[in-house]
Amino acid sequence: MRLDGRLALVTGASSGIGRAVALRLAGDGARLVVTGRDPERLRAVAERVGGQAVVADLADGVEALVAALPGPPALVVHSAGIGPGQTADALLDVNLRAPIALTRALLPGLRAERGHLVFVASIAALGVAGEAVYSATKAGLRGYADAVRAEVPEIGVTTVLPGIVDTPFHGAERRPFPRPVSPDHVAEEILRAVRRGSPEVITPRWLTLGAKVHGMAPGLFARAQSAYGTRAR
């Protein structure tokens, strides 16, 4: 997919992966709309990328964001999310309901643009010990993306499953192993996947082994998680 001159929407762009994605998209010549909950940080990102900032809490609905868009985006990167430690309702609202509602609202324009959707899920979609509800939201996001990919062949759909990312997402709970990857590394993987039309990206790539074990021997995977519940994004 060519990005130069095309409109891209990045959620969760105030910091972390969303911010890194916005910066890289600007470098590729995309026109940006960035959204997030932190007005000061978001506006700083918008100024840096020469884009439009829309301050919004997607848990409250997506209507205001959709109305603020200057046109149908050709690329939507669902990066907004909250981590373990929040209530089950909050996790479901932000991590699952909001990206589904926003996708449904933007699908007609994405079809017309023959655009691309990116869902930033997590390796926790495979099921991480101690993070049951968070894992469920990310697994639901992955399943939703798979279904959209099958139902709407006119657009590209990429799911991204990062491991631990070096952001304040988990704060002091983050464990020292496995070593975190940088938000910029994840952003690089996302843009490469968009250009190539890749359906799914697992990063760091050695985590692909865990995904294969999960698929072939879920009991073994569960026992490993019980022994060491890796904290994921």
Side-chain angles (χ1 to χ4, degrees), residues 46 58 89 93 114 125 146 174 177:
L58 299 182
D89 283 344
D93 284 341
R114 300 193 72 82
D146 287 345
R174 192 182 67 201
F177 180 82

Side-chain angles (χ1 to χ4, degrees), residues 76 133 216:
V76 179
V133 178
M216 294 185 295

Side-chain angles (χ1 to χ4, degrees), residues 12-14 35-40 42 54-59 81-82 86 94:
S14 303
T35 186
R37 294 181 296 176
D38 187 315
E40 186 175 345
L42 186 68
V54 181
V55 179
D57 185 343
L58 299 182
I82 58 175
Q86 306 292 324
V94 177

Side-chain angles (χ1 to χ4, degrees), residues 9 11 62 66 76-78 96-111 117-119 141 144-145 148-149 152 155 157:
L9 169 64
T11 73
V62 302
V66 173
V76 179
V77 181
H78 293 287
L96 189 56
R97 292 191 183 106
I100 289 175
L102 186 56
T103 296
R104 288 168 63 87
L106 297 178
L107 264 180
L110 283 162
R111 275 189 166 120
L117 281 164
V118 176
F119 296 90
L141 195 63
Y144 179 72
V148 172
R149 188 181 300 114
V152 193
I155 66 174
V157 180

Side-chain angles (χ1 to χ4, degrees), residues 162-227:
I164 298 173
V165 183
D166 191 11
T167 71
F169 196 76
H170 286 287
E173 291 185 1
R174 192 182 67 201
R175 299 186 181 189
F177 180 82
R179 179 178 298 175
V181 296
S182 70
D184 192 61
H185 169 80
V186 180
E188 180 182 4
E189 294 283 352
I190 288 172
L191 263 69
R192 182 181 295 116
V194 170
R195 295 188 194 104
R196 295 178 177 178
S198 305
E200 186 165 90
V201 174
I202 297 176
T203 186
R205 295 183 185 179
W206 64 265
L207 286 175
T208 304
L209 176 61
K212 290 179 179 178
V213 172
H214 178 269
M216 294 185 295
L220 175 62
F221 184 86
R223 288 193 294 275
Q225 284 297 311
S226 296

